[in-house]
Amino acid sequence: MKASRPLWIAALLLVGAAGAFWGAGSVPVALLCLAAVAAVVALSGVARRVLGALLVVVGVVAAFSGHWLAIAGGVLVVASGALQAVLGARMPKIGMGGQKARAQDPEADMWRALERGDDPTDDRNGPGRSSNE
């Protein structure tokens, strides 16, 4: 199983819970679930596991409102929180895939040097020589 799959499952469970709470009339809890989706995606490691434990508590408390949609939403929040508490340390942090080392692009490096105010042709002509000599 891919490492990112539990992350997306947890996020989708929270979106489903938000819809259930919205339908039950518990709009603040629905908004909390949507905010938790952003937090699940942004956090990693221990912080994600702590968020999972908090979501388990929130899901249990919210399920006691008595409406069947609130109970369903509470079950979804508890499932998402439990998934994060158990597998939170192994889930990847979104956005880290673009942080890998990129291949050197000589043309792009020259443009960056020009933006810094450096003359990228100095290295090619040797120290102290200009391109007009």
Side-chain angles (χ1 to χ4, degrees), residues 56-110:
V56 168
V57 172
V58 167
V60 169
V61 170
F64 279 111
S65 76
H67 194 277
W68 68 273
L69 279 174
I71 294 170
V75 169
L76 291 174
V77 171
V78 167
S80 176
L83 187 65
Q84 293 171 54
V86 173
L87 299 175
R90 288 186 255 165
M91 293 179 193
K93 183 177 178 183
I94 298 300
M96 295 305 289
Q99 301 295 326
K100 296 178 183 173
R102 54 188 158 137
Q104 290 289 4
D105 183 9
E107 188 174 332
D109 289 341
M110 283 197 293

Side-chain angles (χ1 to χ4, degrees), residues 10-32:
L12 288 175
L13 286 171
L14 286 170
V15 170
F21 284 121
W22 193 279
S26 300
V27 176
V29 182
L31 294 175
L32 177 87

Side-chain angles (χ1 to χ4, degrees), residues 103-126:
Q104 290 289 4
D105 183 9
E107 188 174 332
D109 289 341
M110 283 197 293
W111 283 110
R112 284 189 203 98
L114 285 172
E115 288 174 353
R116 286 190 309 265
D118 298 336
D119 184 2
T121 60
D122 280 346
D123 294 334
R124 294 183 186 171
N125 295 326

